[in-house]
């Protein structure tokens, strides 16, 4: 398995035995090797800036490593895999196999309970950059949760919640923010567009707009 950093010239290469190598994306030169234990159910992940690697580490949980030095920064037994990096708040969204969702502060390694328990992550929206939003799908609702660094901690709170009726969670394409950040648009059911008014309070479903192009 290969993971490439979005904003750095490095990649993470994992083998079936649990070994993880950091390589230059352009040349394939090995820069660093991590020794871990294989977790076939979950893959390692590389932060967008290429500085931190999240590596599933059976049976201890999820380990975070400094890519440049190879140093293990933190290990949490409260998670088995990474859901998403939250780059603006310098945090990560992680989950356990029982769908328990938590936030890891990448400054301190502190692990906090997430305000939404057991959702599926659909997308991370990085606008505004300093307060990334996670779009989460629960059993009956869509939630947009904001994460922001406040003093020496990461605060998380639901910004919008609405019924997920009409949303097609089986579509692989991520929803988009349109109309100057006022509306979330994604794939709906039966070839329709689903859109969520982000300016309403509480958020409301605007309805189906018509067939997908």
């Amino acid at each position: 398995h290969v993971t490439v950093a979005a904003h750095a010239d490095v990649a993470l290469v994992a083998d079936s035995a649990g070994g993880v190598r950091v390589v230059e994306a352009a040349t394939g030169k090995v820069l660093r090797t991590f020794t871990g234990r294989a977790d076939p159910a979950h893959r390692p992940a590389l932060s967008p800036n290429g500085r931190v690697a999240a590596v599933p580490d059976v049976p201890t949980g999820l380990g975070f490593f400094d890519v440049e030095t190879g140093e293990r920064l933190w290990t949490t037994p409260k998670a088995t895999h990474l859901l998403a990096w939250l780059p603006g708040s310098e945090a990560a969204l992680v989950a356990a196999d029982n769908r328990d969702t938590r936030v890891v502060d990448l400054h301190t390694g502190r692990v906090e309970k997430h305000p939404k328990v057991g959702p599926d992550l659909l997308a991370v929206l990085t606008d505004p950059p300093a307060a990334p939003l996670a779009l989460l799908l629960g059993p009956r609702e869509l939630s947009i949760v904001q994460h922001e660094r406040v003093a020496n901690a990461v605060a998380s709170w639901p910004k919008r919640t609405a019924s997920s009726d009409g949303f097609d969670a089986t579509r692989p394409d991520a929803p988009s923010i349109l109309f100057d950040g006022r509306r979330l648009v994604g794939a709906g059911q039966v070839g329709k567009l689903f859109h969520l008014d982000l300016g309403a309070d509480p958020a409301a479903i605007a309805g189906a707009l018509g067939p997908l192009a």
Side-chain angles (χ1 to χ4, degrees):
H1 173 70
V2 179
T3 302
V4 179
H7 306 298
D9 186 28
V10 292
L12 209 62
V13 180
D15 59 39
S16 58
V20 179
R21 301 187 304 277
V22 179
V23 302
E24 285 185 346
T27 66
K29 178 183 177 182
V30 177
L31 303 176
R32 185 72 55 190
T33 300
F34 303 141
T35 302
R37 281 169 283 187
D39 181 356
H42 304 298
R43 297 174 174 177
L46 192 59
S47 65
N49 63 8
R51 296 175 60 186
V52 180
V55 181
D57 194 10
V58 178
T60 56
L62 183 66
F64 289 87
F65 293 83
D66 184 311
V67 170
E68 183 176 355
T69 66
E71 176 188 1
R72 182 186 289 265
L73 301 173
W74 312 285
T75 298
T76 172
K78 298 177 180 179
T80 56
H81 58 285
L82 181 126
L83 289 176
W85 301 101
L86 304 170
S89 58
E90 298 177 321
L93 197 60
V94 301
D97 286 335
N98 64 0
R99 299 170 62 81
D100 191 10
T101 309
R102 297 177 184 268
V103 178
V104 178
D105 186 334
L106 296 179
H107 280 188
T108 65
R110 185 173 179 177
V111 181
E112 298 286 356
K113 193 81 171 178
H114 197 263
K116 290 293 179 178
V117 179
D120 291 321
L121 179 75
L122 296 178
V124 171
L125 314 170
T126 55
D127 187 12
L133 307 174
L135 176 62
L136 303 161
L137 178 67
R140 292 174 298 276
E141 66 180 20
L142 277 170
S143 301
I144 296 179
V145 180
Q146 185 160 333
H147 307 83
E148 188 171 6
R149 179 161 292 281
V150 179
N152 295 320
V154 178
S156 305
W157 64 93
K159 188 174 182 180
R160 296 285 186 270
T161 300
S163 168
S164 59
D165 291 345
F167 184 80
D168 185 0
T170 66
R171 294 290 295 266
D173 40 330
S176 301
I177 293 287
L178 302 175
F179 305 107
D180 295 325
R182 299 193 306 272
R183 190 157 296 169
L184 177 78
V185 179
Q189 297 172 354
V190 199
K192 305 285 186 175
L193 277 177
F194 170 95
H195 71 135
L196 178 64
D197 184 355
L198 301 181
D201 193 13
I205 302 302
L209 294 179
L212 292 169

